């Protein structure tokens, strides 16, 4: 899990600092967001003080009807040592008592321009991505026809060269060499490049290249869902590979099962073209068409037909 501070929120989500700029190094430990409606009425039995506290229009208008003493009392009770920050949506300007109570406990007060629901969604998505458990894998992550494909294989097998040809064909690079995977939800894995490697590729004999600089902003993507793993393996005489694709291999990453296929690499094979076809075939299967099953059905029909003729 990465460390996230209030300062990260301010920078990445373009929030405005109303007060407490010197306290922006406070850590955020959970992606859950709290709308403190009950707390404003004085009910603190189950107050999750460790969460980011988000004040929307409802909370803001309710606070405006309170007396100055009531606001100060409630906000002091809400201002705990573990509370990361207070955030107001729609750039609402909080009353002085909010700023006073927050300052007494070194809690920054922020505001965002978005409506409450949108701001809550932005905060949750951002914190889930940053705080999620991560697994770093060796490979090249590309987006092909809208699908996230992770190319794996031994060093020197041609992962980066294949990805480079895919980029030239109009597809997009997410990460080269090292990919950080994290779970967005129970069925979805996301992948991105470490900050130091964003938009960069290493091509043997050529060195480091900047894909965005060479091919434009449309050739890269910051983050992408992982749909399939394609393992590139050097072809060896006598080694057997799946020829029909009846039972796709599944691998478990962070509790999410992901499709995996193995492609033999040998002289003369255009691996980038095969990766494109694999992506289209995956999408066709997702839509209910399975070429392997269709072939099996045709074969069964032919056998049945021939068996009937023998009788």
């Amino acid at each position: 899990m990465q460390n996230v501070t209030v300062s990260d929120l301010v920078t990445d989500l373009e929030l405005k600092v109303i007060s407490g700029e010197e306290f922006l190094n406070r850590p955020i430990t959970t992606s859950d967001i709290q709308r403190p409606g009950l707390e404003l009425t004085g009910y603190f039995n189950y107050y999750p003080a460790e969460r980011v506290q988000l004040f929307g229009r409802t909370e803001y208008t309710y606070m405006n009807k309170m007396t100055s003493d009531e606001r100060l009392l409630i906000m002091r009770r809400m201002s705990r040592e573990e509370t990361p920050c207070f955030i107001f949506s729609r750039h609402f300007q909080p009353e002085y008592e909010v700023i006073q109570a927050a300052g007494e406990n070194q809690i920054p007060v922020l505001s965002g321009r978005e409506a409450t629901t949108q701001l809550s969604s932005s905060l949750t998505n951002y914190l889930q991505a940053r705080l999620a458990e991560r697994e770093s894998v060796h490979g090249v992550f590309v987006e092909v026809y809208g699908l996230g494909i992770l190319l794996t294989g031994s060093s020197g097998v041609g992962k980066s060269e294949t990805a480079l040809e895919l980029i030239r064909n109009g597809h997009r690079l997410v990460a080269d060499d090292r990919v950080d995977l994290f779970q967005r939800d129970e069925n979805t894995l996301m992948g991105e490049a470490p900050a130091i490697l964003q938009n960069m590729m290493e091509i043997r004999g050529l060195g480091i290249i900047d894909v965005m600089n060479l091919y434009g902003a449309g050739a890269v993507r910051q983050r992408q869902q992982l749909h399939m793993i394609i393992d590139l393996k050097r072809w060896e005489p006598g080694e057997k590979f799946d020829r029909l694709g009846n039972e796709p291999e599944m691998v478990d990453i962070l509790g999410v099962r992901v499709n995996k296929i193995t492609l033999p690499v040998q002289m003369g094979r255009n691996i980038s073209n095969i990766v494109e076809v694999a992506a289209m075939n995956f999408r066709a299967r997702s839509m209910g068409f399975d070429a392997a099953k269709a072939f099996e059905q045709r074969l069964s029909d032919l056998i049945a037909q021939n068996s009937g003729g023998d009788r």
Side-chain angles (χ1 to χ4, degrees), residues 141-149 224-228 278-284 286:
F141 195 26
V142 289
E143 181 198 72
V144 180
Y145 297 130
L147 299 176
I149 297 179
Q224 171 64 34
Q225 179 180 348
L226 173 62
H227 294 93
M228 178 171 53
M280 291 187 289
N281 191 52
F282 178 90
R283 188 175 294 281
S286 301

Side-chain angles (χ1 to χ4, degrees), residues 23 52 63 76 79 95 100 126 143 147 166 172 196-197 219 259 274 282 284 306 309:
F23 310 133
V52 169
M63 291 176 66
R76 279 174 171 169
S79 302
E95 298 289 345
Q100 178 182 345
Y126 175 81
E143 181 198 72
L147 299 176
L166 288 167
R172 298 199 280 184
I196 194 173
L197 298 178
N259 282 274
I274 299 176
F282 178 90
N306 291 338

Side-chain angles (χ1 to χ4, degrees), residues 137 139-143 149-151 160 163 172-180 191-194 197-201 220-224:
V137 298
V140 182
F141 195 26
V142 289
E143 181 198 72
I149 297 179
L150 176 63
L151 303 176
S160 296
R172 298 199 280 184
L173 172 73
V174 182
D176 179 58
D177 188 55
R178 187 161 71 88
V179 185
D180 289 343
E192 62 184 8
L197 298 178
Q198 284 182 1
N199 309 332
M200 300 292 183
M201 290 187 71
V220 297
R221 185 181 176 97
Q222 181 180 4
R223 184 177 296 129
Q224 171 64 34

Side-chain angles (χ1 to χ4, degrees), residues 182-190 225-226 250-259:
F182 61 91
Q183 190 175 2
R184 187 177 67 185
D185 55 52
E186 60 182 10
N187 297 315
T188 306
L189 277 179
M190 303 295 293
Q225 179 180 348
L226 173 62
M250 303 293 290
V251 296
D252 187 284
I253 302 177
L254 297 173
V256 179
R257 292 177 62 78
V258 182
N259 282 274

